[in-house]
């Protein structure tokens, strides 16, 4: 089992469950949250290496979540997983080190590429 912990934040249960199961099969320790607020509460108790974050969440949005998460866990890396076809990275996130390679549109068609980016951030 991997020592790497990943937090999946998505308000769609099927996405959280399917992505979590896939990543557990790859050996990662997975936690999930339905909202940004829940994710921040989980992060107060548990450290994560990577967050996979939906941008459209109930309550605070993904951009705000990532910036608050970086304050709680400065070494945490992030991948954006969004259903918004027109999504573009905000300047704030670019300045926080997130690039176009870290953005995946739902549904992810190439899970090998998704895993490649996860591994790039973690290993």
């Amino acid at each position: 089992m991997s020592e790497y912990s990943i937090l999946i934040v998505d308000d769609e249960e099927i996405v959280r469950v399917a992505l979590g199961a896939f990543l557990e099969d790859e050996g990662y320790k997975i936690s999930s949250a339905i909202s940004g607020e829940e994710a921040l509460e989980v992060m107060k108790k548990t450290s994560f290496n990577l967050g996979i974050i939906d941008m459209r969440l109930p309550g605070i949005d993904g951009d705000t979540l990532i910036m608050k998460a970086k304050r709680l866990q400065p070494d945490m890396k992030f991948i954006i997983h969004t259903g918004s076809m027109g999504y573009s990275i905000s300047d704030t996130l670019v300045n926080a080190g997130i690039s176009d390679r870290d953005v995946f549109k739902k549904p992810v068609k190439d899970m090998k590429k998704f895993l490649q980016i996860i591994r790039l951030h973690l290993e």
Side-chain angles (χ1 to χ4, degrees), residues 28-76:
Y28 296 106
K29 183 178 175 196
I30 302 300
S31 295
S32 65
I34 194 169
S35 69
E37 292 84 354
E38 182 182 340
L40 292 169
E41 287 304 311
V42 170
M43 289 179 64
K44 289 176 184 174
K45 301 172 192 150
T46 306
S47 293
F48 295 96
N49 303 101
L50 179 76
I52 299 174
I53 312 297
D54 185 16
M55 289 291 102
R56 291 188 321 194
L57 295 166
I60 64 172
D61 64 16
D63 281 44
T64 303
L65 169 58
I66 290 171
M67 296 315 296
K68 288 182 178 221
K70 285 191 85 48
R71 285 193 288 279
L72 279 175
Q73 298 188 21
D75 294 331
M76 191 173 175

Side-chain angles (χ1 to χ4, degrees), residues 4 10-11 13 16 18-19 25 27 31 35 39 45 49 51 60-61 65 68 87-88 96 100 117:
Y4 296 111
D10 200 303
D11 58 331
E13 182 178 11
R16 285 191 319 276
L19 187 54
D25 287 349
S31 295
S35 69
K45 301 172 192 150
N49 303 101
I60 64 172
D61 64 16
L65 169 58
K68 288 182 178 221
Y87 177 78
S88 61
D100 286 335
I117 297 301

Side-chain angles (χ1 to χ4, degrees), residues 74-120:
D75 294 331
M76 191 173 175
K77 306 295 184 200
F78 296 93
I79 289 176
I80 294 168
H81 190 224
T82 183
S84 300
M85 291 301 126
Y87 177 78
S88 61
I89 303 170
S90 68
D91 290 342
T92 303
L93 293 184
V94 169
N95 292 336
I98 297 172
S99 69
D100 286 335
R101 72 157 193 223
D102 301 319
V103 177
F104 287 86
K105 304 285 173 62
K106 297 176 194 174
V108 175
K109 292 178 175 47
D110 185 354
M111 291 306 286
K112 285 183 184 178
K113 172 106 173 148
F114 195 70
L115 270 178
Q116 178 184 19
I117 297 301
I118 289 171
R119 290 179 179 138
L120 181 69

